[in-house]
Amino acid sequence: MRTKDQEASAHQPSTPSTAAGADSAGPAAPARTEDPPSANQDGGPSKPEPKPWRGRILYFVGLIIMALSLRHAVTGISPILNRVQEDVALGAAGATVLGMLPTIAFGVAGFVAPIFIRRLGPARMAVVAMALGALGTVLRVLGDSAAGFLVFGAIALFGMGIGNVVGPPLVKRYFPDRQGAAMTVLTLMTQAGATVPAMLAVPMSNAAGWRVSITSYAVLMVLAALPWIAASIRSGKEGSAAAANAGGNQPAAQKAGLRKLFTNPISLGGAIFYGMAALNTYAMLAWLPTIFQAQGLSEAEAAGMYSIYTFLTLPMALITPIVATRMKNPFWLGLLFPAASIIGYLGIMTAPGAAAVWAFVAGISGGAFPFAMVMFNLRTRTPEGSSTVTGFGLGIGYAFGTVGPLLGGLLSTLSGGWTLPLVVLIAAAVVMAVAARMLTGNRIFEDAA
């Protein structure tokens, strides 16, 4: 039987009593976190009572800056790739590898990060993620070697991949009572972190050179690490508590091996759902303009349809987490995203004259990613469980994301058109709908045998 002190050590994230901007109101009472939520009558986790933001504002700012730092190495280079190739001599092969690095690095990080999150805690791993990202970002531009640019770029992307995984556990630990709001901020700012570097890459390169354009984001990553350094210092027992749990008192999620991950409906459903979403999305990001041009649209018109598709990720990132956390049965929301893909693809094949409508409908499927991230938290009890399910889902998901563009191009070449690739993607969306039922079932990951 555990003592009260042991309970406090195992479940208390040691949030600070004051935060930036809150000191003038006087000292706050020591922050206390709920024990892992118990299941409600429907089988899902109960919701902790909302608490004041005070004492956690610094961490909320850290979450925002970290999310803004997770995509610049993906989207901030493509617009200036020709300038990079002139100085670094990547060549066609190097550019191809560069395009594949994000999904590979994110996938590897998805499998590796949960191991270290369980040992060190999410705050410390957030620091590691930002440190690796900043280091790789700086080192990749210091020389003229193509190999160095790719290797250090992979290190930067691996750090960002850890950041992808550690985000939901940070929300789980520091904002268990505000998961809807915190996950909305996390997903929305991650999307903004993909959009802004793409917009600023050329102007910044024109003003200061492409090396400065790329390196500047290392400063953002250093700033993102500071709140989590403070969290790690103030919760010095975070790592020791995780180590103590390893002696036999840890949640079931900490003991989860591959067998459990592949048989537990939450982790397996999450991995399949995220994987099919990534397969569809990355295939569309690679080929949608080409598909529309094959249907008779001009290059400019196809680009416009592509813009509609990609723009939908922003409002979906804003809306999805809020709606998902408030729905009694989130399956119907999860079903919306594969249904949107299916309807959009069928429309493209059968009624290409309404291209804008189908681009908009298919774009709604972009909400699948924030939906999955929210469910990874809602269907787990602990930060450790969240990191395990998130890492497994992202690891599998980005593997499928890497395959998506290759599969689409191969099927198009073999069939001489885009009907077969779209039919295969529709089949993948059907599988995704089945996985949505598994992911949203009234069960909790840690409770499964």
Side-chain angles (χ1 to χ4, degrees), residues 124-412:
R124 290 176 181 172
M125 281 309 296
V127 176
V128 171
M130 295 299 96
L132 288 174
L135 182 66
T137 298
V138 172
L139 293 180
R140 75 185 308 185
V141 304
L142 294 183
D144 297 324
S145 165
F149 188 83
L150 293 172
V151 169
F152 290 122
I155 292 174
L157 288 163
F158 181 71
M160 294 177 189
I162 295 175
N164 291 336
V165 178
V166 83
L170 287 173
V171 170
K172 191 82 171 176
R173 173 156 293 183
Y174 294 99
F175 309 99
D177 55 324
R178 310 274 185 172
Q179 292 193 58
M183 287 301 298
T184 296
V185 167
L186 179 65
T187 56
L188 185 61
M189 291 299 101
T190 300
Q191 184 57 41
T195 303
V196 173
M199 295 172 56
L200 297 181
V202 172
M204 290 179 66
S205 296
N206 290 339
W210 68 266
R211 297 177 193 270
V212 173
S213 175
I214 293 174
T215 310
S216 61
Y217 294 100
V219 177
L220 188 66
M221 303 191 87
V222 171
L223 293 175
L226 297 180
W228 304 116
I229 292 174
S232 300
I233 294 173
R234 293 187 178 188
S235 60
K237 296 181 180 180
E238 184 177 273
S240 61
N245 281 339
N249 290 326
Q250 77 266 40
Q254 289 188 288
K255 299 179 181 178
L258 285 178
R259 183 176 181 275
K260 177 172 181 176
L261 290 170
F262 276 106
T263 56
N264 187 292
I266 298 298
S267 54
L268 180 61
I272 295 173
F273 183 89
Y274 202 97
M276 295 302 98
L279 179 73
N280 274 271
T281 300
Y282 281 93
M284 288 295 101
L285 291 176
W287 297 111
L288 189 59
T290 304
I291 293 172
F292 277 125
Q293 289 183 62
Q295 298 283 17
L297 273 66
S298 68
E299 183 180 35
E301 290 171 334
M305 301 305 104
Y306 185 72
S307 298
I308 293 173
Y309 178 85
T310 56
F311 171 78
L312 263 293
T313 57
L314 282 172
M316 295 311 298
L318 175 63
I319 296 170
T320 302
I322 297 174
V323 176
T325 54
R326 294 181 179 181
M327 291 184 72
K328 183 176 181 180
N329 185 1
F331 166 69
W332 299 109
L333 180 60
L335 185 62
L336 169 66
F337 307 120
S341 293
I342 293 170
I343 295 171
Y345 301 159
L346 289 174
I348 291 172
M349 288 190 292
T350 60
V357 174
W358 309 129
F360 182 91
V361 172
I364 294 173
S365 65
F369 296 116
F371 176 79
M373 299 294 276
V374 170
M375 294 308 302
F376 293 160
N377 267 5
L378 294 182
R379 289 297 177 262
T380 54
R381 291 189 185 282
T382 62
E384 293 79 16
S386 174
S387 69
T388 298
V389 175
T390 301
F392 184 64
L394 268 60
I396 297 293
Y398 283 115
F400 278 102
T402 303
V403 171
L406 299 176
L407 181 64
L410 176 63
L411 293 177
S412 175

